[in-house]
Amino acid sequence: MIALRAAEIAAFHDSRHAIAGWAKSGAAEHASGLWQAIEDNHRCNCLLWDEEDLARRRNVADSEIAANKRAIDGCNQKRNDAIERIDEQLLTALAGVKLRPDARLSSETAGGMIDRLSILSLKIHHMRAQTRRTDVERAHIESCEAKLARLLEQRTDLAGCLDRLLAEAARGESHFKVYRQFKMYNDPRLNPAIYGEKR
């Protein structure tokens, strides 16, 4: 049986934002298993967020932006690897469940949903920071407050969907698979722009 609830995951995501420099520090709360994969995924999303911001700068040398883009590729690969590890761990826990003949295949995996919860936590964290700014007009604050409310609603909805999928999977009513991402652009054997350079 899977003792995992979306509310616990969301609380964990939010708690990491409260630790200054957590993502870059490498400090880990979980050393193995499902929660390590969840933590690794969230760390990658936090690092990706920062690199994506930096990649939008216009007042730095192109070489710095190129370095940001390479860092984004590396983080994105690790992020997807962590999603697959989340799904592997969950499917191992569900291995003894007998699927019903009419079991529904979910096109989105639990790992994919957990990744989306991580990204939503980042959006919520940063949007909430916008609502606390003192250097902007009231209209900006009100706009960000409305967006924050929508993001919180979206997270609640997604959390409910994740809990439902896991509960149905535990009863054999639904199932999901590990969907390999095969990021071809990161593999020099599969990216023609890279392997073509050798010719």
Side-chain angles (χ1 to χ4, degrees):
M1 208 51 91
I2 299 173
L4 184 69
R5 296 290 176 270
E8 294 175 298
I9 298 168
F12 174 76
H13 289 156
D14 289 347
S15 73
R16 300 305 91 184
H17 301 309
I19 303 171
W22 167 77
K24 289 183 180 177
S25 74
E29 185 174 326
H30 303 94
S32 63
L34 174 60
W35 276 100
Q36 181 189 39
I38 291 170
E39 185 169 12
D40 288 348
N41 171 256
H42 190 50
R43 184 187 311 281
C44 290
N45 279 325
C46 291
L47 293 171
L48 273 167
W49 185 283
D50 292 342
E51 290 294 342
E52 292 282 7
D53 277 354
L54 291 171
R56 269 64 181 183
R57 294 173 296 170
R58 298 184 179 275
N59 60 344
V60 298
D62 289 348
S63 59
E64 290 195 40
I65 304 304
N68 293 137
K69 294 300 283 181
R70 287 193 173 96
I72 287 167
D73 280 351
C75 286
N76 203 31
Q77 183 67 59
K78 291 177 183 176
R79 167 186 163 245
N80 281 283
D81 291 346
I83 293 170
E84 292 176 7
R85 284 183 12 241
I86 291 168
D87 285 327
E88 288 166 353
Q89 292 281 334
L90 290 170
L91 289 171
T92 296
L94 291 164
V97 175
K98 184 176 181 181
L99 287 181
R100 291 172 40 163
D102 59 346
R104 177 183 62 87
L105 174 63
S106 176
S107 64
E108 184 171 24
T109 72
M113 290 180 174
I114 290 169
D115 177 63
R116 287 173 56 203
L117 284 173
S118 169
I119 295 167
L120 275 168
S121 81
L122 276 156
K123 291 181 179 181
I124 288 166
H125 173 72
H126 288 283
M127 192 64 72
R128 185 173 283 123
Q130 289 295 315
T131 69
R132 295 172 178 165
R133 287 178 61 183
T134 58
D135 62 331
V136 292
E137 296 179 357
R138 183 65 200 160
H140 177 87
I141 301 296
E142 291 174 355
S143 172
C144 290
E145 286 174 342
K147 291 173 182 174
L148 176 60
R150 182 65 61 87
L151 288 167
L152 289 166
E153 178 185 359
Q154 289 173 358
R155 181 163 70 172
T156 298
D157 291 347
L158 179 57
C161 291
L162 174 60
D163 283 341
R164 183 173 67 245
L165 173 61
L166 292 176
E168 289 176 353
R171 295 190 300 265
E173 298 167 2
S174 294
H175 65 111
F176 56 93
K177 302 175 181 179
V178 178
Y179 287 116
R180 305 295 178 189
Q181 297 299 312
F182 300 123
K183 296 291 184 181
M184 296 173 71
Y185 59 81
N186 275 340
D187 189 335
R189 299 165 302 171
L190 301 176
N191 182 335
I194 297 175
Y195 67 68
E197 290 177 339
K198 297 177 182 177
R199 295 178 181 166

